[in-house]
Every structure is written in C-alpha cells, then in structure tokens.
Amino acid sequence: MTHHIPNGIGHFEICGPDIGALQDFYQGVFGWQIIPKGPGYALAETPAGTANGALTEAEEAKVTIGIVVADIEAALGGAVKHGGSVAMPVVDNGWVRKATLADPAGNQITVIQS
C-alpha cells in the first residue's frame, strides 16, 4: 500500500479525446509505465516516490490533481471559506472518500481521504 503525505498530491488524472496518443506521449516522453485497464482508461505509473495517476479518454482535455487530506469535510469547508466552492460532494467508493472542490479561478481539484 502506498503511503500518502497529508495535503500532498496523491493522484492525478490526464484526460483527452485520444487515449492512445496520451499513452504514447507520456510513455515516450517521460518513460511512465502505462497499464491499460479497459476502454478509455489506463493507469500511469511514475517514478518511485511520486504520485501515480490515470489517463482517461474524454471529449475535452484537462488535468486534475488529487490531494490527500486527513479530514475531507474540513477541506471542503476551507475551500468555501477561502473563496472556492464544492463542485462534487463527498462520495465513498469503499476504498476512499473523495470530493471535488473548485478554487477561486474555477480549477477543479479532487480531495481524497483514505
């Protein structure tokens, strides 16, 4: 099991319309190991000690980071208090609890509590 440092980046997701092109790019440029996991989705393993992530097929390009937090409700409250908003409420998928917040500029960030 990977140990994540609270308030550190624990996951990322890179999306775009052609997952094959994304796989080729990130494997070819950075040497990441890309592990296809089904249509439109692949895990991206980065060098040891850094956050792993996923490549996802989606209509629009975007990059989302996942920040590991000790208290997800406190993170969401802090986001609202400091000019952001809650874009997706807390979801418990049985492995982690996660939610999406937006910063004051509208950038969306996933917060993860394991």
Side-chain angles (χ1 to χ4, degrees):
M1 175 179 272
T2 303
H3 174 73
H4 296 288
I5 298 169
N7 301 321
I9 296 173
H11 183 77
F12 63 85
E13 187 169 287
I14 301 171
C15 303
D18 183 347
I19 195 165
L22 291 175
Q23 292 174 1
D24 182 61
F25 180 86
Y26 287 98
Q27 189 167 21
V29 175
F30 300 112
W32 294 356
Q33 182 178 1
I34 307 300
I35 305 163
K37 288 294 191 179
Y41 188 82
L43 295 177
E45 291 188 354
T46 64
T50 63
N52 291 322
L55 304 178
T56 305
E57 197 165 85
E59 287 184 27
E60 294 188 29
K62 74 175 183 175
V63 175
T64 303
I65 60 170
I67 298 176
V68 177
V69 296
D71 183 338
I72 200 165
E73 283 80 10
L76 296 178
V80 172
K81 179 180 176 182
H82 293 282
S85 63
V86 176
M88 181 187 84
V90 177
V91 174
D92 187 336
N93 67 9
W95 179 55
V96 297
R97 296 175 70 223
K98 64 181 183 175
T100 304
L101 59 84
D103 69 14
N107 297 301
Q108 292 194 353
I109 300 159
T110 301
V111 287
I112 306 162
Q113 180 181 339
S114 55

